[in-house]
Each structure stands twice: as structure tokens, then as C-alpha cells.
Amino acid sequence: MTTESLAGLGNLALSRKEDFKTFVEAPRRTQPAKLAREALQALDETARTAYERDRRTWHANLGPIKTPQLVSLHGDLWDIVDSNQQDGDKAKGAVAVDAFPGLGKTTAVLAFAREFHRREIAEHGAFTTQGHERWPVCRVGLTGNTGMKDLNRAMLEFFGHPGRQTSTAAQLGLQALDCMLLCEVRLLILDDLHFLKWRKTSGIEVSNHLKWIANEFPVTLLKVGVGLMDKGLFSEGEATGDTVLAQTGRRTTRLDMPPFTIDTEQGRRRWRQLLLALEQRIVLADAHPGMLADDLPNYLFARSTGHIGSLMTLVNRGCQRAQRTGAERLTRDLLDQVRNDEAAEQARRELEYAFRAGKATSRPHGSRIPT
């Protein structure tokens, strides 16, 4: 796949199978060469334009990084998905990835889905024994108004089924089941599950429907959302009087993506390892070893509060500014000009005070302190 077609990955809707396939089959991006300032200035106009475009795209897609959180989540997901090979008369265990925003849960789940899809195709082929396209993964994004019919239609939208606009809710459900069976779907991802109002009529309706899917579809349900426990997904039914939610809790394994912390030596070392990994991916002429891990660890933690999503946003935007302005490195002065997400900005002041007062540090014992 060429650089131009890789750039086109920004124009995908992963809720449709063709786009999801493009995402899954895309090769790893090739990191642009790091050029010294002299070599950068020596490029002619055409080469400079192409190089700057490649760097912009590269910095906008620095992840995913194999953090301890991602590795742990993937290990649990492989355990659960691979153990869900029961015969069709047995319901399969479901998974709920429940974590705060900005911790990389959707990125981690999509990275797992890509690996799983590739493995299934490699082992079983691109077509089923009946000659249908094999789709190991179906990914559906939910909205705040999702009811049973909307969920069924969204599953059919993934497959581009012609009956998705005209059928009844029951017909849509059966058509979705047919698609899953014919295409031998093994993993059904429901993203943004927190948009549902679980203790409202539509939420109970969808919860009942998810139970039906778990019973009838030969898939592992992978639900992704924020605050799912608080919304009642795992409740035993006391709040609603509905035992269906209790059954959902019994069949669902909750996994999380915790933020980085610096209150232990292990936590500080993990933060440093993340910054070192990020440094290796930054393509700026004046970037140097320790630019993040030695020079800016406390600053970057304060700006991100240990949330990898906020960190990646800040570094990406900082790289774009450093490239555009000719600074060609990340410094505190440059990053102070870069706006981050509102949640991170709100928490920034308290953390910066703790670092200045010596009440906290993100530096592990023995790491270099800039002079």
C-alpha cells in the first residue's frame, strides 16, 4: 500500500465491513527518515513537500504503543476469545472494557480486533466452506438513541445488507443472525455502550436483546464504554428489579485500562518507558534522546494526568507545531503554546504545584535530572 493510500485511512468508517477490512489489511506505516537541519534545508520543493506531508501523517498516527495496560488487556482478551469455542448450544462469555475516557480503550480494542481478524483469515481462509466472505469481526458503534431496532440495523449496516432500511425489528435481528452465521463472525464489538440509558425502557430492551445475541449468536460480545458499572451493566438487578441485568453481570468479564500513576517506583518506571518509546517515534530534526523522558517527564504527566490519550494528543500537536514553525524539537516553551483536551487542562494546575513543591515526581530513582 502506498503512502497516498495509507493517508486515505483517515477517511474510513469502521462500522462498514469494506472500511474495516482496509483498516485490518493496511501494512504498518514506515517511519520517515530523521533528517538533520542541513539535509532538510537541502531538499528541493517537491521532496520537501512530500517529506513534510509524510511527517505530519506519521506524527498524527504515533500509536498504538504496547504499554503494560495494552499488553495486559490483549492477554485477557485472547484468553476469553480463545476459550469461547464452545459448541453452539452453549452461551459464550462476554467482555466489557470499562474505563475512563482518554485511556486508549478503543485503540487497544481495535488493535486486538485487527490481530484476531488476521489470525482467523490466516488459519481458515478468506472464504467459508459455503463460499461466503469470512468476517471474523463485526464492529458496531452505538448512539445515544440506540434501541433494539437501531442495534439490529447497525449490525446489518456493517454488512451492507439490502433489508436494513425496510424490515421490522424482529426481521432485522434474524437477518443479522444470518449474516453472522454465513460470514462466520466470531467477535462482535459494541463500541460506546455508555450511550445507552440502561435504567430506561430502551436500555432494558437492549439489555434483553444483548442476552438474546449472547444466547443465539456464535460470537464473543466485546462491549466498550465509560462507567458501565455505574450505569448498571453489571448490577444484580436491585436498582431495576430486572434479573436480566443480573444475568448479564454473571456472563460478562469486566476489563479496564488504568491510567499511568507515579506514586510507586514501578509506576514511575512505566511512565519513563512510555516516554522513551514515544521519543523513538518522533521525527524532528533536533529531537534527541531524553527529550521527553529526561527533560519533560513531570511536565508531560501534569499536562496529561497519566492518560495516554491526552499525552498522545499533546505530543502529536506539539510535533505538528514544531515542524510547522521550524522549532524541530519539543520543549516546555513550545508545548505551553499547544492546547490539550479540557479534562487534562483542568487537572494540570494541581499536579504542576505538586511537582514544583517537591511533593511528587514522575522520575524513577537514578534517572537523569536535566541541569
Side-chain angles (χ1 to χ4, degrees):
M1 187 174 287
T2 64
T3 300
E4 289 75 12
S5 57
L6 277 171
L9 291 176
N11 191 36
L12 296 180
L14 298 184
S15 55
R16 297 174 180 172
K17 65 183 180 69
E18 291 82 7
D19 285 358
F20 187 83
K21 182 179 181 181
T22 300
F23 161 75
V24 166
E25 294 182 348
R28 292 186 180 276
R29 294 179 183 274
T30 300
Q31 182 168 342
K34 180 182 172 182
L35 300 180
R37 281 187 176 268
E38 295 78 9
L40 188 60
Q41 293 169 358
L43 295 175
D44 61 36
E45 183 177 354
T46 301
R48 180 66 177 262
T49 298
Y51 182 67
E52 299 292 19
R53 181 196 63 219
D54 290 347
R55 286 204 296 172
R56 287 195 303 271
T57 304
W58 172 258
H59 287 138
N61 296 278
L62 289 174
I65 294 176
K66 288 189 176 182
T67 63
Q69 294 92 325
L70 183 143
V71 171
S72 177
L73 178 69
H74 281 195
D76 290 332
L77 288 175
W78 282 118
D79 289 344
I80 295 166
V81 172
D82 285 345
S83 68
N84 274 350
Q85 298 186 39
Q86 301 96 330
D87 294 336
D89 61 323
K90 301 178 182 67
K92 302 179 187 298
V95 189
V97 180
D98 184 14
F100 288 116
L103 294 175
K105 57 185 177 298
T106 295
T107 299
V109 165
L110 288 175
F112 174 81
R114 173 187 282 170
E115 293 180 22
F116 179 75
H117 182 103
R118 287 177 169 178
R119 189 192 75 172
E120 291 296 292
I121 295 298
E123 291 184 356
H124 304 291
F127 294 90
T128 69
T129 55
Q130 296 180 354
H132 300 287
E133 289 182 312
R134 186 186 306 280
W135 288 99
V137 179
C138 173
R139 185 240 173 225
V140 175
L142 277 66
T143 70
N145 296 317
T146 299
M148 185 173 69
K149 186 172 184 178
D150 301 310
L151 177 55
N152 290 342
R153 182 178 288 122
M155 289 189 287
L156 290 179
E157 189 70 41
F158 181 85
F159 294 99
H161 194 284
R164 63 190 183 278
Q165 302 297 338
T166 58
S167 303
T168 65
Q171 289 171 333
L172 290 170
L174 293 175
Q175 289 166 349
L177 174 58
D178 286 340
C179 287
M180 300 283 176
L181 291 172
L182 292 174
C183 297
E184 298 188 5
V185 175
R186 293 293 175 260
L187 181 64
L188 173 57
I189 299 173
L190 302 181
D191 205 354
D192 291 326
L193 200 66
H194 52 276
F195 284 153
L196 292 177
K197 296 181 176 66
W198 286 95
R199 295 191 172 98
K200 301 296 183 181
T201 301
S202 61
I204 299 299
E205 178 185 78
V206 175
S207 181
N208 286 329
H209 192 55
L210 294 179
K211 176 177 175 290
W212 176 74
I213 291 175
N215 287 337
E216 301 298 329
F217 288 42
V219 301
T220 297
L221 267 177
L222 203 173
K223 311 162 192 176
V224 184
V226 177
L228 299 181
M229 179 177 290
D230 294 337
K231 293 182 181 298
L233 177 61
F234 310 102
S235 74
E236 292 300 322
E238 291 87 353
T240 63
D242 196 316
T243 56
V244 172
L245 294 184
Q247 190 173 33
T248 299
R250 288 293 180 182
R251 290 183 175 179
T252 303
T253 300
R254 180 180 179 270
L255 304 176
D256 65 356
M257 289 280 288
F260 284 84
T261 59
I262 56 170
D263 53 352
T264 66
E265 184 68 8
Q266 181 187 52
R268 292 188 285 271
R269 290 194 179 279
R270 287 181 171 179
W271 179 248
R272 178 175 174 80
Q273 289 302 315
L274 171 61
L275 298 184
L276 288 172
L278 261 178
E279 285 179 5
Q280 296 175 6
R281 302 191 182 198
I282 292 175
V283 185
L284 296 173
D286 293 341
H288 59 274
M291 181 178 66
L292 304 184
D294 290 331
D295 298 348
L296 299 169
N298 288 349
Y299 176 83
L300 293 174
F301 192 89
R303 291 293 307 270
S304 66
T305 63
H307 287 60
I308 191 169
S310 299
L311 175 68
M312 299 299 280
T313 296
L314 180 63
V315 170
N316 171 20
R317 292 176 181 175
C319 288
Q320 306 295 347
R321 181 179 286 266
Q323 176 185 335
R324 187 178 65 253
T325 62
E328 292 295 336
R329 70 169 62 186
L330 297 184
T331 64
R332 178 168 186 149
D333 288 342
L334 181 139
L335 290 173
D336 274 342
Q337 303 173 53
V338 175
R339 297 297 299 273
N340 207 0
D341 63 85
E342 186 61 22
E345 295 292 356
Q346 289 291 335
R348 173 184 179 183
R349 184 174 300 177
E350 183 177 348
L351 278 168
E352 287 185 329
Y353 171 78
F355 288 133
R356 287 196 302 270
K359 296 180 179 179
T361 182
S362 66
R363 301 179 187 277
H365 179 73
S367 64
R368 185 178 75 82
I369 300 177
T371 58

